[in-house]
Amino acid sequence: MSFIDTLLGQLNYGTILLLMLLESTVIPVPSELVVAPAAFNAASGELNVILIVVFATIGAAIGASINYVVALYVGRPVIYKFANSKWGKLCLLNQEKVEKSEKYFDNHGIAATLTGRLIPGIRHLISIPAGLARMNYWKFLLYTTIGAGVWHTILAALGWYLASVVPKDQLSATIEKYNHYIVIGILVIVALAVGILVFRHYRKKKAKKE
């Protein structure tokens, strides 16, 4: 049994915080299989669902801050070198994934640190381009915390709901099934949010010219 599997088998506020910290760095820990099962347990009184979201979000903010600081101080060449290394591959990383997160950040600006937290494949890496771009840390932390909080709330709501409709031994399979629909729904929401932000930006720009 791996270190991660051991933690998943002993879900409490401390392990939730630690696992979400790892997920927000470069360690491949799926938040869907941490927060939702924890909320599933909360439905039977083992944990408090609000505290699950709080501790998961704190962990995510700490992990994202680690990525931000590392990117800020070591720079792009070292980040790419790690992504292409044996250790990077063990973390399911490669240069293409890092470049994808950079492109998303470049296209959507500082709001990417909020919306990017909701997108699979971008979620745990979006803090790297924020650090490389030397984004204001406190803005970064605010947007990251909001985005992570929204994501964890969705997962907690899913886990709480599933507690009333599926047995525990079918939980992981059911989460994976629902996760597909969650991702589609979130991508639609993100697209709408980005569209609104872009519209407001150009409207303000046009108003200034007038």
Side-chain angles (χ1 to χ4, degrees):
M1 183 177 286
S2 70
F3 173 66
I4 299 298
D5 288 334
T6 301
L7 290 176
L8 286 172
Q10 301 174 10
L11 283 178
N12 55 50
Y13 303 125
T15 54
I16 291 166
L17 186 151
L18 177 58
L19 287 166
M20 291 303 90
L21 183 158
L22 294 175
E23 191 238 6
S24 287
T25 54
V26 294
I27 310 297
V29 180
S31 52
E32 299 90 334
L33 298 181
V34 177
V35 178
F40 185 98
N41 293 342
S44 61
E46 293 181 38
L47 296 168
N48 181 292
V49 71
I50 294 174
L51 290 179
I52 288 170
V53 173
V54 169
F55 278 92
T57 302
I58 291 172
I62 295 171
S65 294
I66 292 171
N67 269 8
Y68 172 94
V69 171
V70 169
L72 179 68
Y73 287 105
V74 306
R76 187 174 284 104
V78 177
I79 295 291
Y80 284 178
K81 187 175 180 180
F82 173 78
N84 291 324
S85 71
K86 179 179 70 175
W87 293 105
K89 288 180 173 60
L90 284 173
C91 294
L92 306 182
L93 271 183
N94 56 49
Q95 185 172 325
E96 184 182 351
K97 287 183 178 179
V98 178
E99 288 176 340
K100 182 180 177 183
S101 68
E102 287 189 89
K103 184 177 180 181
Y104 184 85
F105 184 87
D106 291 341
N107 289 341
H108 301 98
I110 59 175
T113 55
L114 191 161
T115 58
R117 293 294 312 182
L118 305 173
I119 300 175
I122 295 290
R123 184 182 309 125
H124 66 302
L125 297 177
I126 196 64
S127 47
I128 292 176
L132 292 174
R134 298 184 176 275
M135 176 182 175
N136 178 277
Y137 174 73
W138 298 109
K139 267 188 182 177
F140 161 79
L141 184 62
L142 174 64
Y143 287 8
T144 294
T145 302
I146 292 171
V150 169
W151 174 241
H152 294 145
T153 299
I154 292 169
L155 293 179
L158 173 62
W160 185 275
Y161 164 72
L162 291 178
S164 63
V165 295
V166 299
K168 194 165 187 175
D169 61 351
Q170 296 178 20
L171 181 60
S172 295
T174 307
I175 288 172
E176 289 178 10
K177 175 185 173 184
Y178 275 79
N179 188 51
H180 176 70
Y181 298 105
I182 291 173
V183 168
I184 292 173
I186 285 177
L187 289 175
V188 171
I189 292 170
V190 169
L192 289 172
V194 169
I196 291 169
L197 288 171
V198 169
F199 174 75
R200 288 178 62 184
H201 171 75
Y202 282 107
R203 190 172 66 177
K204 284 182 182 179
K205 198 173 179 181
K206 187 177 179 182
K208 283 182 182 180
K209 287 182 179 179
E210 293 174 354

